[in-house]
Amino acid sequence: MAAPPAAAEVLERWYKLVLLLVRHTPIYSPPVASRAFAYMATAVYETMAAISPGWQSLAGQLNGLKEPPYKEKPQGLDLAHALHGALEASVSSFFVRTGPSGQRALKSTVRKVSADLAGSVSDDVAARSEDFGRSVATRILEWSDGDGGAVIENMGFPMSYKPKEGKAHWVPTSTIGLQQAPLLPNWGNNRTFAMPDGGACPIKGPPAYSEEKDSPFYKEALEVYDTVKNLTPEQRAIARFWSDDPMLSPTPPGHWISIAMQVAKQRNMTVEECADMLLRVSVAVADGFIACWRVKFEVDLLRPVTYIKRVIDPKWNSPLITPPFPEYPSGHSTQSGAAAATLTTLLGDNIAFEDATHARDGLPSRSFKNFWEAANEAGISRLYGGIHYRAAIDHGLEQGRCVGTYAANLKTRV
Amino acid sequence: MRHVSFFLTSMLLGSTAFAAEPTVKFSLEPDAAGITHKYSGEYLFTVGGGVAAFDCNDDFKPDVFLAGGEGASQFYVNRSKKDGALRFEKHESGAELASATGAYPIDIDTDGKMDLVILRVGENVVMKGEGNCKFSRANEQWNFDGGDAWSTAYAATWEKGANFPTIAIGNYVDRAREDDPWGSCTDNWLHRPNGGEKSFAKPLALKPSYCPLSILFTDWNRSGTPSLRMSNDREYYEGGQEQLWKVEPGKEPVRYTDKEGWRYLRIWGMGIADYDLNSDGYPDYVLSSMADNKLQALEEVPKDAKPEKPGYVDVAFKRGVTAHRPYMGDDLRPSTGWHTAIEDVNNDGLADIFIAKGNVAEMPDFAMHDPKNMLMQGEDGKFVEAGGTSGIGTSKISRGAALMDFNLDGLVDAMVVNRWENVEVFRNVSTDAGNWIEFALREEGANRDAIGAWIEVKVDGRVMAREAISGGGHVSGQLGFWHFGLGPSDKAEVRITWPHGEAGPWAQVAANGFYLIEKGRDPSAITVPE
């Protein structure tokens, strides 16, 4: 008979499921996914911090979380069962809207993890531990309400939208009916997690719109056009690897959660270290999307495909699917920068890793010398994919570096 | 006409098409015209719910096999009077198998009696038509390996020189993968003839499989050799996309690649319908999906040669075919599309698009009240929703359908299979419809019904064209008369390009009649019984 799973394995099994559910739940666009990851990681962290000695609650550090999600630290609980309870409650709530396969998989995971944990501790301890985990998750879910991101309608696309007037502004680029309005135009006003608010990491703007051939804006668009025209196989592979399309991948936030899980395994992290890391990455990425979206809808810049068709080559198309929202800054760049900043602060700048996030989709893994190398590659992949100008990438990464600092500075150890 | 642009075609249509404002009326037949049937079952019957419509008692009126899902399938014989109300009568056919997801009619052994391929969760079964709507299992007789999978798609063709059909079966998710079904699409199968025998060889696995919910043999470039189009459900595949397979006689099937012009597209593929909707001489494809539907047209049609690149552009948005959310009621969440069919339902000479809609089960981010679409093509080539005004736009959890002339009045009716709710039968009662014409095709020897033929109908210099197919839709197949609307014209010319490319002559026929077109002979009028 196999040994009951340790707490780290419980965490890993649930996160594997979560990464699949993010892909297979239609409302899980990247910002929505980032939010769910952040609250789930907080529930996991708070459960762990209440049980494992040497860790402290994030109450007072995360916006709106004024008190710890329990009255007092519990005694004599089993961390594996408690995490199982916390994740069951969190995942069931965040993925209540997933389809029949997701619901079936969720029930199966609950049943199988419960069965595998059975007998590892007394029934009383098991029940009290799971109940505690569930109660922490319930408090976190209550905290999540009212942050501005709880209700997603129409898959995140407003029912109607009037584009701003002016040639510089975003216009729909998709022929999908729903996507004639941009995704989640108010996401930038959501409550942030660790950073003070969505405007806490301002960046300078993109070059001014111009169709003059010697203008910086034209040159940036031409760079996209020329790069795409002369894509090397390696550049094409990079674009594809970081494409992270919603509903076809775990999304960009899920990609970084996947990296974190892979690094945890590679470094034999304890469950406590892993929970700490997941919390920081998730919060950084979630704050990154809020910060990025705030700027996106202030600047409201047109996508390369619109400009290039208008000014350079009417037959041009981007190799990647152009996302249905304004261009500046690049969301993947901001959130990758945020993830890299916080991971580098936590683990150091020499953590080499192999990223096999897309192995099941048949994409070969890629190796990185450190987190920033991965983040920079994620950023430039958007230029190779023809969906971002260079300024959006450079400034997005810069914004992410600032955002990630807040998550990195969270005090978790007593 | 082949290279006339869409806009030029529209100008031509302006002088010939029938109604300025396309109208159509359907009557929901009381008591479902005598049919009591639901597509039942839970997870394993989330998809499926097909109907096979074809005449099996030689009265020209389509009879129907209805897949029952977890429960038994049922057979109903068409007792409608000509031009009258629709009426069906339950009939013990011998094909009442449980666990059926859908079915398609095809005369496999060319005996003039339609056979049936029943797709199932479990073993697929071929049923030999014995006449008078009786069927008997023929897996063993025809060496058909029904396998053991979750089968969700079918297509058939007759490869050049073959005396038995080639049947492709699309398979879905690995049923055993409960906690991680994603990425578990099981192999699709290609059942080819066993040499010159009247039986099938061991099926060939078509890998990779990306969980198709609709497949279709279609001669996309009119080369005379159909390819196999697969519309795949992105919910379950990993690393997948839509597929087009080259299926050349005597050769292993191979997929078209991006280097050959195939375009990367990933959708929740649910159904395929084809028709030449832009008068370029090649089929265009409606692909039903969730929160979106596609209308694909060839991007490049060379002036003096057949297309070599299967590169398609999506013109659904431009032509008003996205049908991405309900068009009436207060439930405006995104739609879920299933069976799709292209028929001219008001006989104005412009083919229209039907899409059956319905939530997967109770997915809260998708419409629960999701009316069916009846997208009417206008003279400008754009489609306008008439589901509500026509009466066909009821909201059920709909799946498969058949759009056929069930009462032989020249108007296309509809039968829709619903999950957990009774079948709906819609009689087309349009009073201001145009003239029409319907054809049955016949070849000597194998492929009696000329599957794969290209049918062209010319009215006032304008050509309408469609393929004679066996496959597509959502696990629903129909075989019988091929219908065309003629607008006000009292005559038309018809030409058949027979399977594998031999074009017959243009022949003139009078409107409002049924015709048999036999290869090498002039069309002959059919008198249908009352």
Side-chain angles (χ1 to χ4, degrees):
Chain A
M1 191 172 159
E9 188 187 332
V10 170
L11 189 62
E12 185 186 350
R13 283 167 71 171
W14 272 105
Y15 263 78
K16 269 187 184 169
L17 175 68
V18 167
L19 289 171
L20 290 166
L21 291 177
V22 162
R23 173 176 181 155
H24 295 286
T25 306
I27 57 166
Y28 272 76
S29 61
V32 176
S34 74
R35 175 181 180 272
F37 280 123
Y39 285 116
M40 282 186 286
T42 307
V44 165
Y45 174 82
E46 290 289 347
T47 301
M48 178 279 289
I51 294 172
S52 297
W55 300 85
Q56 67 173 41
S57 171
L58 293 163
Q61 297 187 71
L62 295 179
N63 298 322
L65 187 67
K66 292 177 182 158
E67 303 290 338
Y70 43 83
K71 284 187 181 158
E72 55 188 37
K73 283 201 171 193
Q75 299 296 317
L77 296 190
D78 176 65
L79 184 54
H81 280 87
L83 289 179
H84 182 45
L87 281 159
E88 178 195 345
S90 304
V91 177
S92 300
S93 174
F94 280 107
F95 294 97
V96 69
R97 308 176 85 80
T98 198
S101 290
Q103 299 294 352
R104 194 164 176 254
L106 208 160
K107 283 179 191 154
S108 172
T109 298
V110 172
R111 195 173 59 245
K112 286 184 178 174
V113 174
S114 297
D116 292 347
L117 283 171
S120 58
V121 294
S122 71
D123 289 351
D124 171 60
V125 169
R128 284 194 295 116
S129 302
E130 288 187 17
D131 283 349
F132 177 74
R134 284 191 203 103
S135 73
V136 168
T138 302
R139 297 288 92 72
I140 297 300
L141 289 166
E142 287 167 359
W143 166 55
S144 76
D145 269 348
D147 69 348
V151 178
I152 304 298
E153 291 179 328
N154 203 39
M155 296 171 82
F157 298 97
M159 297 298 281
S160 62
Y161 182 80
K162 193 177 174 205
K164 284 183 188 162
E165 289 184 9
K167 290 178 104 174
H169 291 304
W170 180 82
V171 292
T173 55
S174 167
T175 57
I176 293 173
L178 290 182
Q179 298 182 358
Q180 301 313 299
L183 180 74
L184 298 167
N186 297 315
W187 196 263
N189 299 325
N190 284 1
R191 182 181 67 204
T192 50
F193 288 81
M195 64 190 285
D197 59 59
C201 289
I203 48 173
K204 63 182 175 186
Y209 181 88
S210 171
E211 296 177 14
E212 297 297 325
K213 289 193 172 174
D214 59 352
S215 68
F217 195 88
Y218 181 92
K219 286 176 183 167
E220 284 213 343
L222 190 64
E223 182 188 18
V224 175
Y225 180 73
D226 287 340
T227 302
V228 167
K229 205 171 175 181
N230 301 300
L231 271 188
T232 65
E234 172 69 354
Q235 288 172 327
R236 195 175 294 278
I238 289 170
R240 184 87 189 277
F241 187 77
W242 294 100
S243 179
D244 294 327
D245 297 307
M247 290 178 272
L248 293 159
S249 78
T251 72
H255 195 151
W256 277 98
I257 297 300
S258 167
I259 288 171
M261 295 303 291
Q262 291 172 81
V263 168
K265 196 145 190 142
Q266 179 188 307
R267 296 177 64 79
N268 289 319
M269 282 183 171
T270 64
V271 67
E272 288 85 1
E273 290 168 336
C274 186
D276 185 24
M277 177 177 64
L278 283 172
L279 169 86
R280 292 176 193 277
V281 178
S282 304
V283 162
V285 163
D287 279 351
F289 271 99
I290 296 169
C292 173
W293 246 246
R294 173 80 67 98
V295 179
K296 269 187 186 293
F297 284 88
E298 285 169 359
V299 175
D300 193 42
L301 191 63
L302 80 173
R303 288 278 177 178
V305 68
T306 309
Y307 182 88
I308 291 171
K309 280 188 169 183
R310 182 189 297 162
V311 179
I312 299 173
D313 179 354
K315 289 191 170 174
W316 191 83
N317 273 308
S318 56
L320 294 186
I321 298 167
T322 292
F325 41 82
E327 189 270 348
Y328 184 88
S330 149
H332 212 327
S333 302
T334 299
Q335 65 111 37
S336 293
T342 197
L343 283 168
T344 302
T345 303
L346 184 69
L347 301 176
D349 61 4
N350 59 349
I351 305 296
F353 63 94
E354 188 166 315
D355 179 4
T357 294
H358 300 303
R360 283 175 52 152
D361 281 283
L363 297 187
S365 59
R366 296 187 67 80
S367 297
F368 300 98
K369 290 180 191 148
N370 54 50
F371 298 117
W372 272 107
E373 188 182 46
N376 288 330
E377 186 175 285
I380 201 67
S381 75
R382 312 312 254 180
L383 194 146
Y384 300 157
I387 60 176
H388 278 291
Y389 314 103
R390 186 171 288 275
I393 294 162
D394 292 346
H395 300 173
L397 286 164
E398 200 179 295
Q399 185 183 41
R401 187 185 290 275
C402 165
V403 171
T405 307
Y406 290 98
N409 288 340
L410 289 170
K411 184 168 166 32
T412 53
R413 292 181 188 262
V414 175
Chain B
M1 285 299 291
R2 181 166 300 168
H3 308 294
V4 174
S5 73
F6 171 71
F7 295 103
L8 180 54
T9 306
S10 300
M11 289 166 63
L12 290 170
L13 291 177
S15 63
T16 58
F18 184 50
E21 192 68 33
T23 56
V24 61
K25 288 286 176 195
F26 289 97
S27 158
L28 181 59
E29 295 290 80
D31 302 322
I35 297 178
T36 304
H37 183 85
K38 297 174 185 176
Y39 184 67
S40 67
E42 297 304 318
Y43 178 71
L44 292 175
F45 300 94
T46 304
V47 298
V51 49
F54 57 103
D55 174 30
C56 53
N57 54 6
D58 300 326
D59 64 358
F60 299 102
K61 293 170 192 162
D63 310 293
V64 293
F65 169 91
L66 297 157
E70 196 172 62
S73 302
Q74 296 196 82
F75 204 96
Y76 278 82
V77 168
N78 189 340
R79 299 294 186 207
S80 311
K81 299 282 185 203
K82 185 176 182 308
D83 304 333
L86 303 184
R87 197 72 202 152
F88 291 84
E89 190 176 282
K90 192 172 175 184
H91 170 79
E92 293 302 321
S93 70
E96 287 80 4
L97 302 178
S99 301
T101 57
Y104 289 80
I106 177 175
D107 185 358
I108 291 173
D109 57 355
T110 319
D111 64 353
K113 298 182 182 103
M114 207 64 84
D115 310 306
L116 201 51
V117 178
I118 301 179
L119 305 177
R120 299 176 70 232
V121 178
E123 182 197 39
N124 298 321
V125 177
V126 288
M127 304 293 297
K128 179 174 164 54
E130 306 286 3
N132 206 22
C133 300
K134 292 284 186 188
F135 300 86
S136 61
R137 177 185 166 96
N139 284 29
E140 291 73 23
Q141 182 182 345
W142 291 336
N143 194 35
F144 182 84
D145 179 357
D148 180 11
W150 183 352
S151 294
T152 49
Y154 154 102
T157 187
W158 299 75
E159 295 186 73
K160 195 168 187 178
N163 64 354
F164 226 51
T166 291
I167 293 176
I169 301 287
N171 290 320
Y172 207 47
V173 177
D174 180 347
R175 291 167 282 164
R177 288 268 296 267
E178 189 182 14
D179 52 352
D180 182 5
W182 303 288
S184 74
C185 302
T186 55
D187 291 349
N188 300 314
W189 300 320
L190 193 67
H191 299 263
R192 280 179 142 162
N194 186 14
E197 302 292 316
K198 287 209 159 188
S199 64
F200 292 100
K202 186 179 172 203
L204 198 68
L206 288 175
K207 297 181 188 179
S209 166
Y210 297 140
C211 289
L213 288 177
S214 188
I215 61 178
L216 178 67
F217 275 107
T218 173
D219 194 359
W220 64 273
N221 60 351
R222 310 273 317 278
S223 65
T225 303
S227 300
L228 181 57
R229 182 80 161 82
M230 292 191 165
S231 197
N232 298 313
D233 184 359
R234 76 183 194 184
E235 168 68 9
Y236 291 105
Y237 58 67
E238 288 174 339
Q241 57 172 303
E242 296 285 286
Q243 293 170 304
L244 183 67
W245 294 80
K246 268 182 249 184
V247 183
E248 296 179 350
K251 293 183 181 173
E252 291 271 316
V254 289
R255 279 185 298 157
Y256 277 97
T257 65
D258 54 353
K259 285 181 184 155
E260 294 169 293
W262 182 244
R263 298 256 180 94
Y264 196 52
L265 177 67
R266 296 165 294 180
I267 59 173
W268 289 288
M270 307 281 211
I272 309 175
D274 80 335
Y275 210 107
D276 180 7
L277 289 174
N278 62 359
S279 300
D280 66 355
Y282 297 94
D284 308 304
Y285 302 94
V286 173
L287 308 174
S288 58
S289 183
M290 294 175 77
D292 189 30
N293 296 282
K294 300 291 184 194
L295 173 53
Q296 292 193 318
L298 272 173
E299 184 173 38
E300 292 177 28
V301 177
K303 282 188 176 169
D304 303 313
K306 292 188 184 299
E308 292 183 354
K309 291 182 182 175
Y312 286 88
V313 289
D314 176 21
V315 294
F317 187 74
K318 192 161 80 177
R319 296 188 67 176
V321 183
T322 56
H324 51 282
R325 68 162 63 102
Y327 50 85
M328 62 180 186
D330 54 6
D331 186 346
L332 296 178
R333 290 172 288 182
S335 268
T336 309
W338 298 87
H339 186 85
T340 182
I342 306 175
E343 297 287 347
D344 183 355
V345 293
N346 61 344
N347 292 341
D348 63 352
L350 299 166
D352 312 303
I353 297 171
F354 169 84
I355 307 172
K357 292 284 184 70
N359 200 295
V360 169
E362 292 175 343
M363 286 185 74
D365 292 303
F366 290 84
M368 283 306 298
H369 301 287
D370 203 354
K372 303 163 190 66
N373 299 105
M374 192 71 253
L375 297 159
M376 305 296 294
Q377 189 178 181
E379 294 177 16
D380 58 359
K382 292 191 174 172
F383 290 78
V384 176
E385 183 60 66
T389 55
S390 70
I392 206 169
T394 55
S395 292
K396 304 279 180 187
I397 299 183
S398 298
R399 291 290 187 267
L403 267 73
M404 293 190 89
D405 180 2
F406 284 111
N407 58 354
L408 304 181
D409 63 353
L411 295 168
V412 173
D413 311 295
M415 183 178 294
V416 182
V417 179
N418 298 312
R419 188 178 188 198
W420 300 320
E421 292 182 88
N422 205 54
V423 161
E424 293 169 289
V425 180
F426 297 91
R427 179 185 170 201
N428 190 330
V429 292
S430 304
T431 53
D432 56 353
N435 293 324
W436 52 273
I437 202 156
E438 300 192 29
F439 303 107
L441 308 182
R442 191 74 69 237
E443 281 192 298
E444 286 291 324
N447 194 9
R448 195 169 177 272
D449 297 294
I451 300 302
W454 182 253
I455 311 169
E456 293 167 286
V457 171
K458 195 191 302 184
V459 176
D460 295 335
R462 184 172 58 87
V463 177
M464 300 170 275
R466 66 187 304 177
E467 258 182 314
I469 58 166
S470 179
H474 182 69
V475 286
S476 298
Q478 58 189 60
L479 198 47
F481 288 116
W482 301 101
H483 171 276
F484 289 84
L486 301 182
S489 181
D490 59 2
K491 61 181 183 297
E493 288 180 274
V494 59
R495 179 171 71 173
I496 309 299
T497 300
W498 297 94
H500 314 301
E502 186 186 332
W506 286 101
Q508 188 164 305
V509 286
N512 301 332
F514 299 88
Y515 293 88
L516 174 67
I517 305 181
E518 295 180 272
K519 190 175 179 183
R521 295 185 183 175
D522 290 335
S524 58
I526 295 173
T527 304
V528 298
E530 291 297 314

